[in-house]
């Protein structure tokens, strides 16, 4: 056994899914190569989870930080733009709303816009808050253009993410990483050697007997959690009583329609179905709780709700929602599914991977401060996961649905105090509990509350101190600006064509006949 304890220079990433290759790409680009050597081990025989196509706007910043050209990234990953998620059937069957990546209205005298909307709603106005959101209206019109940098313009009131083929993204990042000196080893790790002196990982033993030593190990082995759990028994904080979906079936379908600039999340009897538009196909899946329906019923539901012919066999997945008690233990850090999973409803996993990577880059340890950095890392990750957890639970709990045992359970279940407090405050005052860092700030919470019929009984009292006719005029003017801006926007399909297709996406008759690759 190796008893060396030199400075941290050799970093081994175990696992080559989205988490592994994003980590390899970032470390090989952002850490000085004269000090750090990056090696990634992956096993083709084990494979990857094979899902994970909807992202959040932060991915653009990650790619920019790495110097990746956006148009090239979109071309190689067959990406489309994503400006939000449409939730169908969540508050009540038949409902639909969009959680946009952007704002509603604008602050008036420092007061968030939804307070003015609430006052008018309580006075009987029936204008939807959607009419004050450019990203919502753009989604509904199937339009997309890049946001303006002019912060005074309505055209700047949104951001965007992508729908990507995650397998192609990993391939792209592999090439990117290898060009920057990362070494890839193919094969299965069958044994892990730890040092008796301090219980740090010393080396990994491959199936062919090869021994791979390193100073720091990143566990990107997905649900297997080969290092963080199998070696360190970190333990798991189980959140399945609040987020009970524990199974998914994924099927890709042929491209049958012009891709829309948003993900669809359609509530079903025991979970929800996703529909994700890519340039060359659609991703689909049913996320459900197997205590309420069995696999055959779930498959049947998914298959009968597919648009277009299936082009893959069903991919069956099992998971437990929650997080690893500690993601960083000694010289091992878990990133990706190995560190926990909160279910894919708001596309948070790839964001959490990127957030973990950036924290690692900031906290890149030395032997002398490994422990202190691990403690800080674990603290900030726990906080981030818990905030996302509450936001996800809100989607399920803020419902009037009682038509199936699943919805009945979820509507009436006890929720975390942290979420109960947030909901109570919003209901009584219209205020969103705010935080400076992390995901899902005020507009996101407002979108889900209002979209799911959770309307406040009151609003910020400063609204009553302002001239009503003046702010109403301002609201109407903003609504008109939104409508005009949407009119000016090109279609989502045209923007994709001009920006990032290889051959373009067909529509109309050509699409239906299944022909691709021709620019119209
Ligand atoms: C149903 C579902 C839908 C999802 N949808 C989304 C979404 O829309 N958006 C989003 O952001 N996220 C989504 N996710 C999450 C997303 O798929 C993952 O976060 C992402 O793919 C990262 O996975 P990973 O790299 O951690 O694990 P994996 O993809 O499982 O990769 C694990 C890697 O480890 C390797 N490995 C494991 N053990 C060994 C070993 N002993 N030796 C060598 N190699 C080994 C494997 O070969 C593989 O390369 C979804 C997840 C699920 C389950």
């Amino acid at each position: 056994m190796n008893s060396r304890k030199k400075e941290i220079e050799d970093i081994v990433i175990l696992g080559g899914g989205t988490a592994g290759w994003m980590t390899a790409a970032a470390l090989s680009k952002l850490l000085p190569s004269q000090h750090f050597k990056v090696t990634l081990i992956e096993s083709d025989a084990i494979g990857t989870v094979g899902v994970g196509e909807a992202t959040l706007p932060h991915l653009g910043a990650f790619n920019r930080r790495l110097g990746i050209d956006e148009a090239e990234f979109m071309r190689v990953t067959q990406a489309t733009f994503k400006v939000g998620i449409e939730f169908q059937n969540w508050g009540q069957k038949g409902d639909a709303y969009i959680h946009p990546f952007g704002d509603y209205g604008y602050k008036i005298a420092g007061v968030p816009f939804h307070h003015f909307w609430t006052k008018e709603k309580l006075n009987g106005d029936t204008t939807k808050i959607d009419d004050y959101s450019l990203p919502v209206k753009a989604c509904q019109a199937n339009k997309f253009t890049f946001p303006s940098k002019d912060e005074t313009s309505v055209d700047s009131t949104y951001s965007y993410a992508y729908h990507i083929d995650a397998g192609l993204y990993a391939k792209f990042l592999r090439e990117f990483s290898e060009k920057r000196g990362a070494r890839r080893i193919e094969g299965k790790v069958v044994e892990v050697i730890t040092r008796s002196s301090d219980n740090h990982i010393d080396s990994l033993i491959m199936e062919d007997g090869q021994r791979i030593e390193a100073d720091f190990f990143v566990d990107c082995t997905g649900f297997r959690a080969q290092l963080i759990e199998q070696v360190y028994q970190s333990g798991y904080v189980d959140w399945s009583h609040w987020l009970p979906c524990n199974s998914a079936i994924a099927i890709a379908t042929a491209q049958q329609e012009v891709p829309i600039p948003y993900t669809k999340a359609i509530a079903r009897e025991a979970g929800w179905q996703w529909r994700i538009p890519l340039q060359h196909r659609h991703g689909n899946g049913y996320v459900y709780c197997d205590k309420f329906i069995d696999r055959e019923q779930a498959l049947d539901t998914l298959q009968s709700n597919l648009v277009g012919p299936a082009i893959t066999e069903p991919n069956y997945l099992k998971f437990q929602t929650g997080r690893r008690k500690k993601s960083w233990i000694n010289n091992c850090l878990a990133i990706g599914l190995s560190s926990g999973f909160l279910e894919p409803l708001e596309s948070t996993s790839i964001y959490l991977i990127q957030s973990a990577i950036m924290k690692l880059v900031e906290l890149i340890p030395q032997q002398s401060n490994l422990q202190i950095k691990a403690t800080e890392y674990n603290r900030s990750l726990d906080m981030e996961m818990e905030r996302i957890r509450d936001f996800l639970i809100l989607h399920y709990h803020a419902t009037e649905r009682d038509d199936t045992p699943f919805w009945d359970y979820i509507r009436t279940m006890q929720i975390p105090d942290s979420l109960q407090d947030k909901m109570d405050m919003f209901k009584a005052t219209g205020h969103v509990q705010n935080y400076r860092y992390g995901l899902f700030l005020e507009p996101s919470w407002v979108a889900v509350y209002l979209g799911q019929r959770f309307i406040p009984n009151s609003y910020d009292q400063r609204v009553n101190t302002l001239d009503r006719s003046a702010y109403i005029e301002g609201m109407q003017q903003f609504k008109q600006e939104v409508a005009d801006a949407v009119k000016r926007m090109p279609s989502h399909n045209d923007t994709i064509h001009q920006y990032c297709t290889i051959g373009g996406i067909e529509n109309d008759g050509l699409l239906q006949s299944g022909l691709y690759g021709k620019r119209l």
Side-chain angles (χ1 to χ4, degrees), residues 390-417:
D390 282 2
F391 186 59
L392 294 180
I393 299 171
L394 175 70
H395 295 64
Y396 286 103
H397 189 63
T399 184
E400 294 173 7
R401 285 189 63 162
D402 57 3
D403 53 300
T404 69
F406 173 81
W407 288 101
D408 227 21
Y409 166 72
I410 232 151
R411 185 177 46 81
T412 54
M413 71 185 176
Q414 279 272 333
I415 56 173
D417 291 345

Side-chain angles (χ1 to χ4, degrees), residues 196-345:
S196 52
S197 54
D198 57 6
N199 200 27
H200 283 208
I201 297 175
D202 173 78
S203 49
L204 309 177
I205 309 296
M206 309 287 298
E207 208 168 22
D208 64 4
Q210 216 186 141
R211 177 188 180 125
I212 314 292
E213 293 180 352
D215 310 308
F216 194 79
F217 294 82
V218 187
D219 182 349
C220 293
T221 58
F223 290 131
R224 290 171 164 244
Q226 179 127 7
L227 305 180
I228 200 73
E229 197 56 51
Q230 293 184 35
V231 174
Y232 284 124
Q233 288 102 39
S234 165
Y236 203 69
V237 182
D238 177 6
W239 285 334
S240 58
H241 46 297
W242 290 318
L243 293 169
C245 289
N246 57 8
S247 311
I249 307 175
I251 297 178
T253 49
Q255 185 62 283
Q256 292 279 294
E257 57 194 29
V258 174
I260 52 176
Y262 54 96
T263 308
K264 283 189 180 181
I266 306 159
R268 300 265 178 237
E269 69 201 279
W272 61 280
Q273 180 180 339
W274 80 75
R275 181 157 169 79
I276 298 178
L278 303 179
Q279 290 186 34
H280 59 318
R281 61 170 170 78
H282 270 86
N284 308 272
Y286 186 8
V287 177
Y288 64 95
C289 175
D290 67 2
K291 291 197 185 102
F292 295 92
I293 52 165
D294 62 31
R295 190 165 134 153
E296 286 65 39
Q297 284 172 289
L299 180 62
D300 189 45
T301 302
L302 178 61
Q303 284 175 329
S304 39
N305 286 290
L306 292 177
V307 180
I311 53 172
T312 59
E313 289 301 313
N315 177 10
Y316 295 97
L317 299 133
K318 294 288 292 174
F319 54 85
Q320 182 185 20
T321 54
R323 66 166 171 82
R324 211 54 67 194
K325 279 189 180 150
K326 284 183 184 167
S327 284
W328 185 336
I329 298 176
N330 296 343
N331 62 341
C332 170
L333 169 62
I335 295 183
L337 296 172
S338 57
S339 71
F341 184 52
L342 289 177
E343 88 133 85
L345 187 58

Side-chain angles (χ1 to χ4, degrees), residues 14-20 41-44 46-55 187-190 220-224 226 248 274 276 287 317 319 335-338 341 344 347-351 353:
L14 179 55
T18 308
I41 304 171
E42 66 178 325
S43 158
D44 291 341
I46 295 174
T48 66
V49 70
V51 280
E53 300 178 324
T55 69
K188 210 169 178 176
V189 166
V190 290
C220 293
T221 58
F223 290 131
R224 290 171 164 244
Q226 179 127 7
W274 80 75
I276 298 178
V287 177
L317 299 133
F319 54 85
I335 295 183
L337 296 172
S338 57
F341 184 52
S347 327
T348 42
S349 290
I350 293 176
Y351 162 78
I353 291 170

